[in-house]
Amino acid sequence: MANNVVLASSQQPKKGDLSLFAFTDHEIMNQIYATHVHDDEKFDVESLFIVVENILKRATQVADNVVLGTQGSVEHLEEKTPKPTFSPPLCTLKNISCELQCKAPGEETAYKTTLSILNKLSNYSWDTKAVLTLAAFALDYGDFWLLAQSQSTDQLAKSVGTLRRVSVLLKRPTLQKHRQSLIELNTVIRSTLEVIECIFELEKLSNYDTKDVPALSTGMDHIPVDVFWAIVTVVASTTQLCCLTSDEVKIDRGWPLVWLGPIYRDKKQELSQFSQKINVILTKLRRQITLCRQQIEEVEAYWKLSKLFRTPTEIMEVFKGLIYNKDNVQPLIDGSTKKPVNIDVLKKKNVLLYISGLDITEEDISILRPVHESIRKDDQYKIVWIPIVDQWTDELHKKFDFLRSKMPWYVVQYSSPIAGIRFVKEKWHFKGKPSVVVLNPQGKVEHENAIHMIRVWGIKAFPFTTRVEETLSNNREWIGSIATNVHPNIDNWIKDQKYIFFYGGKDNDWIQQFTKKATILANDATLKEARISIELACVGKGSKGEDNLGVLGRFWTGIESIFISKTHRKTDADAVTLEIQKLLSYKNESGWAVLSKGSNVVLSGHGTTILKVVEDFEKWKEFVKEKGFEFIFKEYHNKVLHTAHICCRIDIPNTSGKIPENMKCPDCPRIMETYISFKCCHIDGAANGVH
């Protein structure tokens, strides 16, 4: 007999040997994966869960009525119906029930029991393991409270309840003594049911590709650990029920009386930590499911929009699919009157979708003002602002209202992300910077992003189609459109077809040196005799040499815009593209210069080479009359270029939209290497860059 109750001292668990809640998810995963073979066993787990849910929702309501003295009816609870062919796995449930019953309180026992259950269910999927364990518990818990409910009216229930120790718990002093523990037990059971319901829901969503629904991958990867905590909580809940219905020590064979005695002195299983843990998991799962559903809505809208744009029929249909979820169509706000208008104002119109975040400036808005002023005369074109916001807050609503007040065109109003946010980001390459998508009255895309074309050519690019961009981007006279504000006399110089040096750089010494040498060149008698007039325009410097960062910023934004505009249309770089590309590579250099005749660019050069050409003017000026100024300047520059070794580097903000995958060097026939760099200037508007 002693052999049944006494273990060797080395086998006896010691207090503090195991702290279940100190385990990391990784440690739990390692333990439970050893119990999982593969998902061979198949049965109608959905019907089983429906039955379990029906039982536990009613059982917990009955428990509340008995313990709290409430009169809550179970009749109003929704009764779900399993499939008619459903056959419950009764033997499996009873087998699990045996594992659950009559265990000593404590984390270690709960842990070992959970591993034992997982081993028994090794061939089932993770969600099925959880449902089967909860079903085994529901079988006993439902039976217990069914008997409790019928004690006073049914003699059979009373007799069976005596064997099940229902009458022990229902005695008034005992019920009052354990009132708080029963409330806590009921709460934990409800939470555990919800956790398993969430796990079940995630499994249902797993039909979607994780590439389309990335949040699903995170949720699914964590299901085994969540199942572990659900099962161990069920084990602890069963132990607590056993404790509450016992007025004497109940032990498994093999557990020593001498060890169990102190633990069973209060005959309670602490559930507070299990309750906290299960609630943390429940919150996480709900958040994950919400995110999954949001991403599923996005991907379904993406598929729908992809289909719509393949065969568009009407602008209204496309616009609704792009902006609104289901039938939740909201009116637009008319920027000129600040009043709501029906979206029918877009019917049979050409629509310019101005897409941006809320980090835009009034200067960004001003780019479209001349366009709006021009097209408002023709009722066939409309501008609509679509703000892209992933998560709205009160602060963002205030910013939205402020920006909306600055816009004279239509504005989309809503408090959740647009339905087609994924389509906008993936198909139209929206990465945060403002863009303009041009749609015709049938909803066909005439240009995926005309913002660069508008920045460079303004209303001259109307109606902002790819065909117009093709024509404009082949024009060699592009510098005038970008350098309009560099100098007050620019327009006259261009009109008079004068030669102009546009120049600048990071090094003020270089700028001063170039200004001095270029001024000497421009005033040379040889050029005067040849009637060659040269003007100087230092980009980013005022008439008194003061910095003008606004002009400098607009200049380089214009260069980037014309470069991106050209790469939209060209697969192979032409002479104009290479010249722009070359100039863009000088953006962060100590010095650079562009020589143009009027608005026609002759060449652009790095500070080192272009300064050398200007400094060596005495060496080549004698050939100006014979070969012409342009020809000899380019010839001498090429000669200097071949003796210099200057790396070419081009920085393009990653938020600029569609960027070419590779790029040919403007100075040699090689393909440039691609690097990723990250930059933060600690001010609003700083962004990652790719170069």
Side-chain angles (χ1 to χ4, degrees), residues 299-312:
V299 75
E300 287 179 346
Y302 178 87
W303 293 335
K304 179 183 175 183
L305 283 167
S306 296
K307 185 178 179 181
L308 270 175
F309 278 110
R310 279 197 297 271
T311 54

Side-chain angles (χ1 to χ4, degrees), residues 272-323:
S272 57
Q273 282 187 289
F274 290 96
S275 178
Q276 289 171 16
K277 184 68 179 180
I278 214 74
N279 280 313
V280 167
I281 291 171
L282 181 58
T283 301
K284 180 205 66 176
L285 284 169
R286 283 173 176 165
R287 187 168 57 242
Q288 205 66 28
I289 288 171
T290 300
L291 189 56
C292 285
R293 285 175 179 158
Q294 182 183 324
Q295 290 177 354
I296 287 168
E297 280 186 10
E298 287 177 11
V299 75
E300 287 179 346
Y302 178 87
W303 293 335
K304 179 183 175 183
L305 283 167
S306 296
K307 185 178 179 181
L308 270 175
F309 278 110
R310 279 197 297 271
T311 54
T313 56
E314 214 284 318
I315 182 66
M316 293 286 291
E317 185 182 4
V318 169
F319 187 80
K320 286 179 184 178
L322 183 68
I323 305 299

Side-chain angles (χ1 to χ4, degrees), residues 217-488:
S217 178
T218 306
M220 294 299 293
D221 288 347
H222 216 266
I223 278 181
V225 174
D226 295 339
V227 166
F228 167 84
W229 282 110
I231 292 176
V232 81
T233 303
V234 170
V235 172
S237 299
T238 307
T239 301
Q240 177 70 321
L241 184 62
C242 290
C243 292
L244 296 175
T245 55
S246 298
D247 55 2
E248 60 188 53
V249 175
K250 298 290 183 183
I251 58 173
D252 267 343
R253 295 179 66 184
W255 284 100
L257 276 172
V258 292
W259 183 71
L260 283 177
I263 295 179
Y264 261 104
R265 189 166 295 148
D266 295 326
K267 294 190 285 186
K268 290 282 185 72
Q269 167 68 63
E270 282 296 329
L271 289 181
S272 57
Q273 282 187 289
F274 290 96
S275 178
Q276 289 171 16
K277 184 68 179 180
I278 214 74
N279 280 313
V280 167
I281 291 171
L282 181 58
T283 301
K284 180 205 66 176
L285 284 169
R286 283 173 176 165
R287 187 168 57 242
Q288 205 66 28
I289 288 171
T290 300
L291 189 56
C292 285
R293 285 175 179 158
Q294 182 183 324
Q295 290 177 354
I296 287 168
E297 280 186 10
E298 287 177 11
V299 75
E300 287 179 346
Y302 178 87
W303 293 335
K304 179 183 175 183
L305 283 167
S306 296
K307 185 178 179 181
L308 270 175
F309 278 110
R310 279 197 297 271
T311 54
T313 56
E314 214 284 318
I315 182 66
M316 293 286 291
E317 185 182 4
V318 169
F319 187 80
K320 286 179 184 178
L322 183 68
I323 305 299
Y324 305 109
N325 288 304
K326 299 176 183 176
D327 298 323
N328 186 29
V329 178
Q330 300 291 319
L332 301 172
I333 296 296
D334 186 334
S336 56
T337 64
K338 311 304 177 189
K339 294 180 180 179
V341 293
N342 194 290
I343 64 168
D344 287 344
V345 295
L346 304 180
K347 197 169 186 178
K348 296 182 179 179
K349 307 296 183 187
N350 296 277
V351 177
L352 278 63
L353 303 177
Y354 180 48
I355 304 171
S356 78
L358 298 183
D359 55 349
I360 55 173
T361 63
E362 290 189 52
E363 186 173 336
D364 290 322
I365 295 170
S366 70
I367 292 168
L368 280 183
R369 283 187 183 279
V371 174
H372 175 260
E373 289 301 317
S374 179
I375 65 174
R376 67 185 298 185
K377 301 165 189 173
D378 182 354
D379 197 40
Q380 297 306 304
Y381 287 82
K382 303 292 182 185
I383 300 175
V384 181
W385 179 41
I386 303 175
I388 301 295
V389 178
D390 290 326
Q391 193 67 47
W392 285 93
T393 63
D394 291 342
E395 196 61 36
L396 289 177
H397 275 295
K398 289 178 185 176
K399 194 164 188 181
F400 167 73
D401 290 337
F402 171 76
L403 291 170
R404 185 181 65 180
S405 69
K406 303 295 179 182
M407 298 182 185
W409 44 78
Y410 296 120
V411 175
V412 169
Q413 56 171 346
Y414 55 89
S415 56
S416 59
I418 63 169
I421 190 166
R422 179 174 174 180
F423 187 91
V424 169
K425 289 178 178 180
E426 292 188 15
K427 287 291 187 181
W428 292 342
H429 311 285
F430 177 78
K431 297 176 182 176
K433 291 294 184 182
S435 66
V436 174
V437 178
V438 183
L439 305 177
N440 70 14
Q442 288 73 47
K444 180 184 176 184
V445 177
E446 294 290 350
H447 201 300
E448 283 187 5
N449 189 4
I451 191 71
H452 303 292
M453 177 170 39
I454 293 169
R455 275 203 188 106
V456 177
W457 291 288
I459 196 62
K460 291 178 184 176
F462 182 81
F464 316 113
T465 62
T466 53
R467 185 176 296 178
V468 172
E469 186 175 45
E470 184 80 40
T471 303
L472 290 172
S473 64
N474 288 331
N475 191 342
R476 293 186 64 88
E477 297 185 1
W478 51 268
I479 192 72
S481 301
I482 293 167
T484 307
N485 298 318
V486 169
H487 193 282

